[in-house]
Structures are given as structure tokens and as C-alpha cells.
Amino acid sequence: MNPQTIKVACSNCNLRELCMPIGLSREELDRIDDVVAARRTVKRGTTLFRNGEKFTSLFAIRTGFFKTCVASEDGRDQVTGFQMAGEVIGLDGIVNDHHTCDAVALEDAEVCVMPFDRIEELSREVNALQRHVHKIMSREIVREHGVMLLLGSMRAEERLATFLLNLVQRLHARGFSQSELILRMTREEIGSFLGLKLETVSRTFSKFVEEGIVEVKQRHVRILNTDMLRDIVNPKPCN
């Protein structure tokens, strides 16, 4: 892949508050601008990085959607997460200087490349950046715990309801609707992430439609009753 590379300016980016520390001075922002040196375009279906590749940079997603996945022993791809604009990917590589998963673009995307050695260097001087990097790492740990809970103890309905609520909440933080979303991933990819078979995902979507919880037109999902979705995840105690 020969990515298109262009100069970046974090200080003028409308996603700054999602992937950069809040409250930086103009001088500190200028210094971060120097660290985030380039943008890279990633075409749909191509990889940003692969399992086993040397880790050099973190990537802030500017536009588009990604999935991270690992190959299981039988050769199938196991989806480990979905990432969207304003989120940072590549943290898996920090542990042993090599990436431990593939990051694949689910649509044409653009990322800001952040060389990790430069981030570490600047973090020692800009405390807000260091705290922000720690926060991103902590968020990833919390997310993994959430996935373990999802796969370990929830029924199919709970898993899909949790997934939809989480997705719409993250999109809403980026200025999108609280009730409508377009699924960038396939039903099969959702099933892989949730530990469910494709048929189970399709059947559960149909059940939600029948119960008037959601409206589904191919990849377009409209949540008609958010409270019912929440009740599936956290049932109200019977009196």
C-alpha cells in the first residue's frame, strides 16, 4: 500500500476533543501538531497494520470505520473490536513492539499517524498528553473487560442489545443521531465479535423487529424503543 500522506494540523481538527487532551495551550498544540506528522488513506477492505508487523505508531481515526481481528486456530477471523472516527488504534503493539491483530478498514478511511517514540518523548514534557495516553490505555482495558463479560455471561438478546446501545452511544458522542445508525460491519462480523453464529444474529434482529424495538432496512437500523433495549441488558426487578 502506498498511502497518500499530507500535513496534519490537530489544532484545527474537529475531532480534536475526542482523540486529543482538552485544555492544551496554543504552544502545546503546536508541539503535538509536529508529532502528528501525516495522514494516511486506507481503502475499504485493506489493512492499516497486520498481526506480527513491527509497531511504530498509534493511529487516530479521522474518518471511516475499522475492525480489529485475529486469526483463530482453524483459520477463521475472530473480530476483537470495531473502531470509529475519533478513536485511537494500534495500542496492541505497545506490549512487545509488534502488532497482535489485523486492523481492516470497513469503508474508505483516513487516519492520523502518531509515531509512538515521539509521543513518549513529548509526554514527558506535556503532562496532559501523558495523562491522555494513560486514559486511552485504561479505556482499552475497560473495553476488554466489557467484551469478556459480554461473551461470558450474556444471552444472545443481551449481547446484541448491548452492542447496539454501545454503538449508538459512541456515534452520538460524534454528533450523530441517538436512534439511527448505519452498520458498517456485516451480520457475520457482528456475530464473530459477539460470539454468536450468523443465524443467531439474524434471528435476534428479527425478534427485535417483531417486538417493535428496532426497524431494520439492510444496514440501516433505527432504534424505536431505547428503554426496551436497556431493559434487555438490565432487566427491572419484579415487584
Side-chain angles (χ1 to χ4, degrees):
M1 180 172 64
N2 294 316
Q4 172 192 348
T5 301
I6 48 180
K7 181 64 186 166
V8 159
C10 291
S11 49
N12 295 322
C13 178
N14 61 355
L15 288 171
R16 189 180 83 211
E17 288 185 3
L18 287 169
C19 67
M20 276 289 149
I22 295 170
L24 293 177
S25 68
R26 166 54 68 178
E27 184 195 350
E28 288 170 335
L29 269 173
D30 286 344
R31 293 181 73 186
I32 290 175
D33 276 352
D34 289 338
V35 170
V36 185
R39 281 191 203 136
R40 183 185 297 179
T41 55
V42 190
K43 290 291 180 188
R44 181 179 176 222
T46 61
T47 54
L48 176 59
F49 54 80
R50 288 187 181 279
N51 182 14
E53 263 182 31
K54 185 168 173 53
F55 166 72
T56 56
S57 303
L58 296 176
F59 303 92
I61 304 170
R62 185 172 167 80
T63 60
F65 237 91
F66 284 84
K67 69 173 179 180
T68 45
C69 51
V70 293
S72 57
E73 286 183 13
D74 61 5
R76 286 178 304 168
D77 277 346
Q78 169 67 51
V79 177
T80 57
F82 298 104
Q83 299 79 23
M84 63 180 72
E87 295 179 344
V88 174
I89 54 175
L91 293 159
D92 61 291
I94 295 173
V95 182
N96 60 12
D97 294 329
H98 285 83
H99 287 289
T100 58
C101 63
D102 295 349
V104 184
L106 295 177
E107 59 182 352
D108 288 352
E110 187 176 71
V111 298
C112 299
V113 183
M114 305 186 289
F116 192 65
D117 55 351
R118 301 281 306 281
I119 290 174
E120 279 192 306
E121 189 182 312
L122 190 56
S123 289
R124 287 191 279 271
E125 299 169 38
V126 181
N127 288 337
L129 180 61
Q130 186 177 59
R131 280 195 303 273
H132 191 67
V133 171
H134 290 164
K135 200 172 171 182
I136 291 169
M137 289 175 172
S138 176
R139 193 184 301 142
E140 190 66 12
I141 293 166
V142 170
R143 187 195 68 80
E144 294 218 342
H145 286 174
V147 172
M148 286 167 69
L149 177 67
L150 199 66
L151 300 181
S153 61
M154 290 185 175
R155 296 176 294 111
E157 290 86 353
E158 292 173 303
R159 294 181 193 194
L160 187 58
T162 301
F163 174 74
L164 290 173
L165 286 169
N166 174 265
L167 204 55
V168 83
Q169 179 188 17
R170 286 156 66 198
L171 286 165
H172 181 57
R174 287 148 184 78
F176 293 98
S177 167
Q178 273 185 291
S179 59
E180 297 194 35
L181 61 150
I182 294 171
L183 298 173
R184 305 297 180 188
M185 64 293 292
T186 64
R187 301 280 194 278
E188 198 167 3
E189 287 164 338
I190 293 171
S192 176
F193 176 62
L194 297 178
L196 299 171
K197 290 182 178 174
L198 173 59
E199 307 82 61
T200 308
V201 174
S202 298
R203 196 166 56 243
T204 308
F205 263 117
S206 298
K207 187 170 186 281
F208 286 177
V209 170
E210 284 166 21
E211 292 175 357
I213 299 172
V214 299
E215 193 178 80
V216 179
K217 290 179 182 171
Q218 294 174 318
R219 293 201 175 193
H220 185 270
V221 177
R222 189 159 160 247
I223 298 173
L224 302 174
N225 196 322
T226 306
D227 288 340
M228 281 180 77
L229 263 190
R230 289 198 184 108
D231 287 346
I232 292 169
V233 180
N234 297 300
K236 289 173 182 168
C238 299
N239 292 326

